[in-house]
Coordinates of all heavy atoms in Angstrom, one line a residue:
N1 N -32.5 0.3 25.1 CA -31.6 1.4 24.9 C -31.7 1.9 23.5 O -30.8 2.2 22.8 CB -30.2 1.0 25.3 CG -29.4 2.2 25.8 OD1 -29.9 3.4 25.7 ND2 -28.2 2.0 26.3
D2 N -33.0 2.1 23.0 CA -33.3 2.6 21.7 C -33.1 4.1 21.5 O -33.3 4.6 20.4 CB -34.7 2.1 21.2 CG -34.8 0.6 21.1 OD1 -33.7 0.0 20.7 OD2 -35.9 0.1 21.3
D3 N -32.9 4.8 22.6 CA -32.8 6.3 22.6 C -31.5 6.8 22.2 O -31.3 8.0 22.0 CB -33.1 6.8 24.0 CG -34.5 6.4 24.5 OD1 -35.4 6.2 23.7 OD2 -34.7 6.3 25.7
V4 N -30.5 5.9 21.9 CA -29.2 6.3 21.5 C -29.2 6.8 20.1 O -29.8 6.1 19.2 CB -28.2 5.1 21.7 CG1 -26.8 5.5 21.2 CG2 -28.1 4.6 23.1
M5 N -28.6 7.9 19.8 CA -28.5 8.5 18.5 C -27.5 7.7 17.7 O -26.4 7.5 18.2 CB -28.1 9.9 18.5 CG -29.2 10.9 19.0 SD -30.5 11.1 17.8 CE -29.7 11.9 16.5
P6 N -27.8 7.3 16.5 CA -26.8 6.6 15.7 C -25.7 7.6 15.2 O -25.9 8.8 15.3 CB -27.5 6.1 14.4 CG -28.7 7.0 14.4 CD -29.1 7.4 15.8
E7 N -24.5 7.1 14.8 CA -23.4 8.0 14.4 C -23.8 8.8 13.2 O -23.5 10.0 13.1 CB -22.2 7.2 14.1 CG -21.5 6.6 15.3 CD -20.2 6.0 15.0 OE1 -19.5 6.4 14.0 OE2 -19.8 5.0 15.7
M8 N -24.6 8.2 12.3 CA -25.1 8.9 11.1 C -26.5 8.6 10.9 O -27.0 7.5 11.2 CB -24.3 8.4 9.9 CG -22.9 8.9 9.8 SD -22.2 8.6 8.2 CE -22.0 6.8 8.2
P9 N -27.3 9.6 10.5 CA -28.7 9.4 10.2 C -28.9 8.3 9.2 O -28.1 8.2 8.2 CB -29.2 10.7 9.8 CG -28.2 11.7 10.0 CD -26.9 11.0 10.2
P10 N -30.0 7.5 9.3 CA -30.2 6.4 8.3 C -30.3 6.9 6.9 O -29.9 6.2 5.9 CB -31.5 5.8 8.8 CG -31.7 6.2 10.2 CD -30.9 7.5 10.4
D11 N -30.9 8.1 6.7 CA -31.0 8.6 5.3 C -29.7 8.9 4.7 O -29.4 8.8 3.5 CB -32.0 9.8 5.2 CG -31.6 11.0 6.1 OD1 -30.8 10.7 7.1 OD2 -32.0 12.1 5.9
L12 N -28.7 9.4 5.5 CA -27.4 9.7 5.0 C -26.6 8.4 4.7 O -26.0 8.2 3.6 CB -26.6 10.5 6.1 CG -25.1 10.7 5.7 CD1 -25.0 11.5 4.4 CD2 -24.4 11.5 6.8
I13 N -26.8 7.4 5.5 CA -26.2 6.0 5.2 C -26.8 5.5 3.9 O -26.0 5.0 3.1 CB -26.5 5.1 6.4 CG1 -25.7 5.6 7.7 CG2 -26.1 3.7 6.1 CD1 -26.0 4.8 8.9
K14 N -28.1 5.6 3.7 CA -28.7 5.1 2.5 C -28.2 5.9 1.3 O -27.8 5.2 0.3 CB -30.2 5.3 2.5 CG -31.0 4.7 1.3 CD -32.4 4.9 1.4 CE -33.2 4.4 0.2 NZ -32.6 4.5 -1.1
F15 N -28.0 7.2 1.4 CA -27.5 8.0 0.3 C -26.1 7.5 0.0 O -25.7 7.4 -1.2 CB -27.5 9.5 0.7 CG -26.8 10.3 -0.3 CD1 -27.3 10.7 -1.5 CD2 -25.5 10.8 0.0 CE1 -26.7 11.5 -2.4 CE2 -24.8 11.6 -0.9 CZ -25.4 11.9 -2.1
L16 N -25.2 7.4 1.0 CA -23.8 7.0 0.7 C -23.8 5.6 0.1 O -22.9 5.3 -0.8 CB -23.0 7.0 2.0 CG -22.8 8.4 2.6 CD1 -22.2 8.3 4.0 CD2 -22.0 9.3 1.7
N17 N -24.6 4.7 0.6 CA -24.6 3.3 0.0 C -25.1 3.3 -1.5 O -24.6 2.6 -2.3 CB -25.5 2.4 0.8 CG -24.8 2.0 2.1 OD1 -23.6 2.0 2.2 ND2 -25.6 1.7 3.1
D18 N -26.1 4.2 -1.7 CA -26.6 4.3 -3.1 C -25.6 4.9 -4.1 O -25.5 4.5 -5.2 CB -27.9 5.1 -3.1 CG -29.1 4.3 -2.5 OD1 -29.0 3.1 -2.3 OD2 -30.1 5.0 -2.2
A19 N -24.8 5.9 -3.6 CA -23.9 6.6 -4.4 C -22.7 5.7 -4.7 O -22.1 5.8 -5.8 CB -23.4 7.9 -3.7
G20 N -22.3 4.8 -3.8 CA -21.2 3.9 -4.1 C -19.9 4.7 -3.9 O -19.8 5.8 -3.5
P21 N -18.8 3.9 -4.2 CA -17.5 4.6 -4.0 C -17.2 5.7 -5.0 O -17.7 5.6 -6.2 CB -16.5 3.4 -4.2 CG -17.2 2.4 -5.0 CD -18.7 2.6 -4.7
L22 N -16.4 6.6 -4.6 CA -16.1 7.8 -5.5 C -15.1 7.3 -6.6 O -14.1 6.6 -6.3 CB -15.4 8.9 -4.6 CG -15.0 10.1 -5.3 CD1 -16.2 10.8 -5.9 CD2 -14.2 11.0 -4.4
Q23 N -15.4 7.7 -7.8 CA -14.4 7.5 -8.9 C -14.0 8.8 -9.5 O -14.8 9.7 -9.7 CB -15.1 6.6 -10.0 CG -15.3 5.2 -9.5 CD -15.6 4.2 -10.6 OE1 -16.0 4.7 -11.7 NE2 -15.5 3.0 -10.4
R24 N -12.7 8.9 -9.8 CA -12.2 10.1 -10.4 C -12.5 10.1 -11.9 O -12.1 9.2 -12.6 CB -10.7 10.1 -10.1 CG -10.0 11.3 -10.6 CD -8.5 11.2 -10.2 NE -7.8 12.3 -10.9 CZ -6.5 12.3 -10.9 NH1 -5.8 11.5 -10.2 NH2 -5.9 13.3 -11.5
T25 N -13.1 11.2 -12.3 CA -13.3 11.3 -13.8 C -12.8 12.7 -14.2 O -12.8 13.7 -13.4 CB -14.8 11.2 -14.1 OG1 -15.5 12.2 -13.4 CG2 -15.3 9.8 -13.8
V26 N -12.4 12.8 -15.4 CA -11.9 14.1 -16.0 C -12.6 14.3 -17.3 O -12.7 13.4 -18.2 CB -10.3 14.0 -16.3 CG1 -9.9 15.3 -16.9 CG2 -9.6 13.7 -15.0
D27 N -13.2 15.5 -17.4 CA -13.9 15.9 -18.6 C -12.9 16.3 -19.7 O -12.2 17.3 -19.6 CB -14.8 17.0 -18.4 CG -15.8 17.3 -19.5 OD1 -15.5 16.8 -20.6 OD2 -16.7 18.1 -19.3
K28 N -12.7 15.4 -20.7 CA -11.7 15.6 -21.7 C -12.0 16.9 -22.6 O -11.0 17.5 -23.0 CB -11.7 14.4 -22.7 CG -10.4 14.4 -23.5 CD -10.3 13.1 -24.3 CE -9.0 13.0 -25.1 NZ -8.8 11.8 -25.8
E29 N -13.2 17.3 -22.7 CA -13.6 18.4 -23.5 C -13.1 19.7 -22.8 O -12.8 20.7 -23.5 CB -15.1 18.5 -23.8 CG -15.5 17.4 -24.7 CD -17.0 17.4 -24.9 OE1 -17.7 18.3 -24.4 OE2 -17.5 16.4 -25.5
L30 N -13.1 19.7 -21.5 CA -12.8 20.9 -20.7 C -11.3 21.0 -20.3 O -10.9 21.9 -19.6 CB -13.7 21.1 -19.5 CG -15.2 21.2 -19.9 CD1 -16.0 21.3 -18.6 CD2 -15.4 22.5 -20.7
T31 N -10.6 19.9 -20.6 CA -9.2 19.8 -20.1 C -8.3 19.8 -21.3 O -8.5 19.2 -22.3 CB -9.0 18.5 -19.4 OG1 -10.0 18.4 -18.4 CG2 -7.6 18.4 -18.7
S32 N -7.2 20.6 -21.2 CA -6.2 20.7 -22.3 C -5.6 19.3 -22.5 O -5.5 18.5 -21.6 CB -5.1 21.7 -22.0 OG -4.3 21.3 -21.0
S33 N -5.1 19.0 -23.7 CA -4.6 17.7 -24.0 C -3.3 17.4 -23.2 O -3.1 16.3 -22.8 CB -4.3 17.6 -25.5 OG -3.3 18.5 -25.9
K34 N -2.5 18.4 -23.0 CA -1.3 18.3 -22.2 C -1.6 17.8 -20.7 O -1.0 16.9 -20.2 CB -0.5 19.6 -22.2 CG 0.9 19.4 -21.9 CD 1.6 20.8 -22.1 CE 3.1 20.6 -22.3 NZ 3.8 21.9 -22.5
V35 N -2.6 18.6 -20.1 CA -3.0 18.2 -18.8 C -3.6 16.9 -18.7 O -3.4 16.1 -17.8 CB -3.9 19.3 -18.2 CG1 -4.5 19.0 -16.9 CG2 -3.1 20.7 -18.1
Y36 N -4.5 16.6 -19.7 CA -5.2 15.3 -19.7 C -4.2 14.2 -19.8 O -4.3 13.2 -19.1 CB -6.2 15.3 -20.9 CG -7.0 14.0 -20.9 CD1 -8.1 13.9 -20.1 CD2 -6.7 13.0 -21.8 CE1 -8.9 12.7 -20.1 CE2 -7.4 11.8 -21.8 CZ -8.5 11.7 -20.9 OH -9.3 10.5 -21.0
D37 N -3.2 14.3 -20.7 CA -2.2 13.2 -20.8 C -1.4 13.0 -19.5 O -1.1 11.9 -19.2 CB -1.3 13.6 -22.0 CG -1.9 13.5 -23.4 OD1 -3.0 12.8 -23.5 OD2 -1.4 14.0 -24.3
A38 N -1.1 14.1 -18.9 CA -0.4 14.0 -17.6 C -1.3 13.3 -16.5 O -0.8 12.5 -15.8 CB 0.0 15.4 -17.1
L39 N -2.6 13.6 -16.5 CA -3.5 13.0 -15.6 C -3.6 11.5 -15.9 O -3.6 10.7 -14.9 CB -4.8 13.7 -15.6 CG -4.9 15.1 -15.0 CD1 -6.3 15.7 -15.3 CD2 -4.6 15.0 -13.5
V40 N -3.7 11.1 -17.1 CA -3.8 9.7 -17.5 C -2.5 9.0 -17.1 O -2.6 7.9 -16.6 CB -4.1 9.6 -19.0 CG1 -4.0 8.1 -19.5 CG2 -5.5 10.1 -19.3
K41 N -1.4 9.6 -17.4 CA -0.1 9.0 -17.0 C 0.0 8.8 -15.5 O 0.4 7.7 -15.0 CB 1.1 9.8 -17.5 CG 2.4 9.2 -17.3 CD 3.5 10.1 -17.8 CE 4.9 9.5 -17.5 NZ 6.0 10.4 -17.9
D42 N -0.4 9.8 -14.8 CA -0.4 9.8 -13.3 C -1.3 8.6 -12.8 O -0.9 7.9 -11.9 CB -0.8 11.1 -12.7 CG -0.8 11.1 -11.2 OD1 0.3 10.7 -10.7 OD2 -1.7 11.6 -10.6
E43 N -2.4 8.5 -13.4 CA -3.4 7.4 -13.0 C -2.8 6.1 -13.3 O -2.9 5.1 -12.5 CB -4.7 7.6 -13.7 CG -5.8 6.7 -13.3 CD -6.2 6.9 -11.8 OE1 -6.1 8.0 -11.4 OE2 -6.6 5.9 -11.2
N44 N -2.1 5.9 -14.5 CA -1.5 4.6 -14.8 C -0.4 4.3 -13.8 O -0.2 3.1 -13.4 CB -0.9 4.7 -16.2 CG -2.0 4.7 -17.3 OD1 -3.2 4.3 -17.0 ND2 -1.7 5.1 -18.5
V45 N 0.4 5.3 -13.4 CA 1.5 5.1 -12.4 C 0.9 4.7 -11.1 O 1.4 3.8 -10.4 CB 2.3 6.4 -12.3 CG1 3.3 6.3 -11.1 CG2 3.1 6.6 -13.6
R46 N -0.2 5.3 -10.7 CA -0.9 5.0 -9.5 C -1.4 3.6 -9.4 O -1.3 2.9 -8.5 CB -2.0 6.0 -9.2 CG -2.5 5.9 -7.8 CD -3.6 7.0 -7.5 NE -3.0 8.3 -7.6 CZ -3.5 9.3 -8.3 NH1 -4.5 9.2 -9.0 NH2 -2.9 10.5 -8.3
E47 N -2.0 3.2 -10.6 CA -2.5 1.8 -10.7 C -1.3 0.8 -10.6 O -1.5 -0.3 -9.9 CB -3.3 1.6 -12.0 CG -4.6 2.3 -12.0 CD -5.3 2.2 -13.4 OE1 -4.8 1.5 -14.2 OE2 -6.3 2.8 -13.5
E48 N -0.2 1.1 -11.3 CA 0.9 0.2 -11.2 C 1.5 0.1 -9.8 O 1.8 -1.0 -9.3 CB 2.0 0.6 -12.1 CG 1.8 0.3 -13.6 CD 1.8 -1.2 -13.8 OE1 2.7 -1.9 -13.2 OE2 1.0 -1.7 -14.6
Q49 N 1.5 1.2 -9.1 CA 2.0 1.2 -7.7 C 1.1 0.4 -6.8 O 1.5 -0.3 -5.9 CB 2.2 2.6 -7.2 CG 3.4 3.3 -7.8 CD 3.4 4.8 -7.4 OE1 2.5 5.3 -6.8 NE2 4.6 5.4 -7.6
A50 N -0.2 0.5 -7.0 CA -1.2 -0.3 -6.2 C -1.0 -1.8 -6.5 O -1.1 -2.6 -5.6 CB -2.6 0.2 -6.6
K51 N -0.8 -2.1 -7.8 CA -0.6 -3.6 -8.1 C 0.7 -4.1 -7.4 O 0.7 -5.2 -6.9 CB -0.5 -3.8 -9.6 CG -1.8 -3.7 -10.3 CD -1.6 -3.9 -11.8 CE -2.9 -3.6 -12.6 NZ -2.7 -3.7 -14.0
E52 N 1.7 -3.3 -7.5 CA 3.0 -3.7 -6.9 C 2.9 -3.8 -5.4 O 3.5 -4.7 -4.8 CB 4.1 -2.6 -7.3 CG 5.5 -3.1 -7.1 CD 5.9 -4.2 -8.0 OE1 5.4 -4.3 -9.2 OE2 6.7 -5.0 -7.6
A53 N 2.2 -2.9 -4.8 CA 2.0 -2.9 -3.4 C 1.2 -4.2 -2.9 O 1.4 -4.7 -1.8 CB 1.3 -1.7 -2.9
N54 N 0.4 -4.7 -3.7 CA -0.5 -5.8 -3.4 C 0.2 -7.2 -3.6 O -0.3 -8.2 -3.2 CB -1.8 -5.8 -4.1 CG -2.7 -4.7 -3.6 OD1 -2.6 -4.3 -2.4 ND2 -3.5 -4.2 -4.4
K55 N 1.4 -7.1 -4.3 CA 2.1 -8.4 -4.6 C 2.8 -8.8 -3.4 O 3.3 -8.1 -2.6 CB 3.2 -8.2 -5.7 CG 2.6 -8.1 -7.1 CD 3.8 -8.0 -8.0 CE 3.3 -7.8 -9.5 NZ 4.5 -7.6 -10.4
R56 N 2.9 -10.1 -3.2 CA 3.7 -10.7 -2.1 C 5.1 -11.0 -2.7 O 5.2 -11.7 -3.7 CB 3.0 -12.0 -1.6 CG 1.8 -11.7 -0.8 CD 1.4 -13.0 -0.2 NE 0.3 -12.7 0.7 CZ -0.2 -13.5 1.6 NH1 0.3 -14.7 1.7 NH2 -1.2 -13.2 2.4
V57 N 6.0 -10.5 -2.0 CA 7.4 -10.7 -2.4 C 8.1 -11.5 -1.3 O 8.1 -11.1 -0.2 CB 8.1 -9.4 -2.7 CG1 9.6 -9.6 -3.1 CG2 7.4 -8.6 -3.8
R58 N 8.7 -12.6 -1.7 CA 9.5 -13.4 -0.7 C 10.9 -12.9 -0.8 O 11.6 -12.9 -1.8 CB 9.5 -14.9 -1.1 CG 10.2 -15.7 -0.1 CD 10.0 -17.2 -0.4 NE 8.7 -17.6 -0.2 CZ 8.2 -18.2 0.9 NH1 9.1 -18.5 1.9 NH2 7.0 -18.6 1.0
R59 N 11.4 -12.5 0.4 CA 12.8 -12.0 0.5 C 13.5 -12.8 1.5 O 13.0 -13.2 2.5 CB 12.8 -10.5 0.9 CG 12.2 -9.6 -0.1 CD 12.4 -8.1 0.3 NE 12.0 -7.3 -0.7 CZ 10.8 -6.6 -0.7 NH1 10.0 -6.7 0.3 NH2 10.5 -5.8 -1.7
R60 N 14.8 -13.0 1.2 CA 15.6 -13.8 2.2 C 16.2 -12.7 3.2 O 16.8 -11.8 2.8 CB 16.7 -14.5 1.5 CG 17.7 -15.2 2.3 CD 18.5 -16.2 1.6 NE 19.7 -16.7 2.2 CZ 19.7 -17.4 3.3 NH1 18.6 -17.7 4.0 NH2 20.8 -17.8 3.8
M61 N 15.9 -12.9 4.4 CA 16.3 -12.0 5.4 C 17.3 -12.7 6.4 O 16.9 -13.4 7.4 CB 15.1 -11.5 6.2 CG 14.1 -10.8 5.4 SD 14.7 -9.3 4.7 CE 14.7 -8.2 6.1
P62 N 18.6 -12.6 6.1 CA 19.5 -13.3 7.0 C 19.6 -12.7 8.4 O 19.4 -11.5 8.5 CB 20.9 -13.2 6.3 CG 20.7 -12.0 5.4 CD 19.2 -11.9 5.0
I63 N 19.8 -13.6 9.4 CA 19.9 -13.1 10.7 C 21.2 -12.4 11.0 O 21.2 -11.3 11.7 CB 19.7 -14.3 11.7 CG1 18.3 -14.8 11.6 CG2 19.9 -13.8 13.2 CD1 18.1 -16.1 12.4
M64 N 22.2 -12.9 10.4 CA 23.6 -12.3 10.7 C 24.0 -11.6 9.4 O 23.6 -11.9 8.3 CB 24.6 -13.4 11.0 CG 24.3 -14.1 12.3 SD 25.4 -15.5 12.6 CE 27.0 -14.7 12.3
S65 N 25.0 -10.7 9.6 CA 25.6 -10.1 8.4 C 26.5 -11.1 7.8 O 26.8 -12.2 8.3 CB 26.4 -8.9 8.9 OG 27.5 -9.2 9.7
S66 N 27.0 -10.8 6.6 CA 27.8 -11.8 5.8 C 29.2 -11.9 6.2 O 30.0 -12.7 5.7 CB 27.8 -11.3 4.3 OG 28.4 -10.1 4.2
H67 N 29.7 -11.1 7.3 CA 31.1 -11.3 7.7 C 31.3 -12.6 8.4 O 30.4 -13.2 8.9 CB 31.6 -10.1 8.5 CG 30.9 -10.0 9.8 ND1 31.3 -10.7 10.9 CD2 29.9 -9.2 10.2 CE1 30.5 -10.4 11.9 NE2 29.7 -9.5 11.5
D68 N 32.5 -13.1 8.5 CA 32.8 -14.4 9.1 C 32.8 -14.4 10.6 O 32.8 -15.4 11.3 CB 34.1 -15.0 8.6 CG 35.3 -14.1 9.0 OD1 35.1 -13.1 9.7 OD2 36.4 -14.4 8.5
G69 N 32.7 -13.2 11.3 CA 32.5 -13.2 12.7 C 33.8 -13.2 13.5 O 33.8 -13.2 14.7
K70 N 35.0 -13.4 12.8 CA 36.2 -13.5 13.5 C 36.6 -12.3 14.3 O 37.1 -12.4 15.4 CB 37.4 -13.9 12.6 CG 37.2 -15.3 12.0 CD 38.3 -15.6 11.1 CE 38.1 -17.0 10.6 NZ 39.1 -17.4 9.6
E71 N 36.2 -11.1 13.8 CA 36.5 -9.9 14.5 C 35.6 -9.7 15.8 O 35.9 -8.9 16.6 CB 36.5 -8.7 13.6 CG 35.1 -8.4 13.0 CD 34.9 -9.1 11.7 OE1 35.8 -9.9 11.2 OE2 33.9 -8.9 11.0
D72 N 34.6 -10.5 15.9 CA 33.7 -10.4 17.0 C 34.1 -11.5 18.1 O 33.5 -11.5 19.1 CB 32.3 -10.7 16.6 CG 31.7 -9.6 15.8 OD1 32.2 -8.5 15.9 OD2 30.7 -9.9 15.0
G73 N 35.2 -12.3 17.8 CA 35.7 -13.2 18.8 C 35.0 -14.6 18.7 O 35.2 -15.4 19.6
Y74 N 34.3 -14.9 17.7 CA 33.7 -16.2 17.5 C 34.6 -17.0 16.7 O 35.3 -16.6 15.8 CB 32.3 -16.1 16.8 CG 31.3 -15.4 17.6 CD1 30.9 -14.1 17.3 CD2 30.7 -16.0 18.7 CE1 30.0 -13.4 18.1 CE2 29.8 -15.3 19.5 CZ 29.4 -14.0 19.1 OH 28.5 -13.4 19.9
N75 N 34.6 -18.3 16.9 CA 35.5 -19.2 16.2 C 34.7 -19.9 15.0 O 33.5 -19.6 14.9 CB 36.1 -20.3 17.1 CG 35.1 -21.2 17.8 OD1 34.0 -21.3 17.3 ND2 35.5 -21.8 18.8
D76 N 35.3 -20.7 14.3 CA 34.7 -21.4 13.1 C 33.9 -22.7 13.5 O 33.5 -23.4 12.6 CB 35.7 -21.7 12.0 CG 36.2 -20.4 11.4 OD1 35.5 -19.4 11.4 OD2 37.4 -20.4 10.9
A77 N 33.8 -23.0 14.8 CA 33.2 -24.2 15.2 C 31.7 -24.1 15.2 O 31.0 -25.0 15.7 CB 33.7 -24.6 16.6
G78 N 31.1 -23.0 14.8 CA 29.7 -22.9 14.7 C 29.0 -22.5 16.0 O 27.9 -22.7 16.3
E79 N 29.8 -21.9 16.9 CA 29.3 -21.4 18.2 C 28.3 -20.3 18.0 O 27.4 -20.1 18.8 CB 30.4 -21.0 19.1 CG 31.2 -22.2 19.6 CD 32.4 -21.7 20.5 OE1 32.3 -20.6 20.9 OE2 33.3 -22.5 20.7
N80 N 28.4 -19.5 17.0 CA 27.5 -18.4 16.8 C 26.6 -18.7 15.6 O 27.0 -18.6 14.4 CB 28.3 -17.1 16.5 CG 27.3 -15.9 16.3 OD1 26.2 -16.0 16.6 ND2 27.9 -14.8 15.9
D81 N 25.4 -19.1 15.9 CA 24.5 -19.4 14.8 C 23.4 -18.4 14.5 O 22.4 -18.6 13.9 CB 23.8 -20.8 15.0 CG 22.9 -20.8 16.3 OD1 23.0 -19.8 17.0 OD2 22.2 -21.7 16.5
G82 N 23.6 -17.2 15.2 CA 22.7 -16.1 15.0 C 21.6 -16.1 15.9 O 20.7 -15.2 15.9
T83 N 21.5 -17.0 16.9 CA 20.5 -17.0 17.9 C 21.0 -16.6 19.2 O 22.2 -16.8 19.5 CB 19.8 -18.4 18.0 OG1 20.8 -19.4 18.4 CG2 19.2 -18.8 16.7
M84 N 20.2 -16.1 20.1 CA 20.7 -15.7 21.4 C 20.1 -16.7 22.4 O 19.0 -17.2 22.3 CB 20.2 -14.3 21.8 CG 20.8 -13.3 20.8 SD 20.6 -11.6 21.4 CE 21.3 -11.7 23.0
T85 N 20.9 -17.1 23.4 CA 20.5 -18.0 24.5 C 20.5 -17.4 25.8 O 21.1 -16.3 26.0 CB 21.3 -19.3 24.5 OG1 22.7 -18.9 24.7 CG2 21.2 -20.1 23.2

């Protein structure tokens, strides 16, 4: 079944592999200092957000709310442990 057309031509795949991933660059000579500083700040914020997003954060997630359950009709004998049977 060699007659099947590939999704992309081999020369396009080679070009994309040779070019590598896209990197954002700003020409400082053609950009005003105010705009350039804003772009650099924006890039720094974006990098910080990416680092923060990749961190693993352990959070305690209680099953029940912090109330004592008396208004729900449960007693203090431990009958409601947050699981359903």
Side-chain angles (χ1 to χ4, degrees):
N1 208 350
D2 293 330
D3 298 334
V4 177
M5 288 288 292
E7 288 186 30
M8 290 192 287
D11 57 339
L12 177 59
I13 293 172
K14 182 182 180 324
F15 171 77
L16 293 173
N17 287 333
D18 291 344
L22 180 66
Q23 289 194 342
R24 181 177 169 188
T25 57
V26 178
D27 189 349
K28 193 171 183 177
E29 293 177 7
L30 299 176
T31 308
S32 72
S33 61
K34 201 174 202 180
V35 171
Y36 184 79
D37 290 342
L39 290 172
V40 169
K41 182 179 179 185
D42 183 48
E43 187 65 29
N44 291 340
V45 168
R46 192 174 297 127
E47 287 175 7
E48 280 296 318
Q49 288 175 345
K51 285 179 187 176
E52 195 67 31
N54 290 332
K55 284 184 183 177
R56 287 187 173 194
V57 178
R58 182 176 293 264
R59 293 188 175 101
R60 179 160 162 64
M61 301 294 288
I63 294 174
M64 295 177 47
S65 62
S66 61
H67 67 80
D68 61 4
K70 290 181 182 175
E71 60 270 7
D72 292 335
Y74 295 105
N75 61 19
D76 293 333
E79 290 179 15
N80 182 9
D81 62 351
T83 59
M84 296 195 56
T85 56

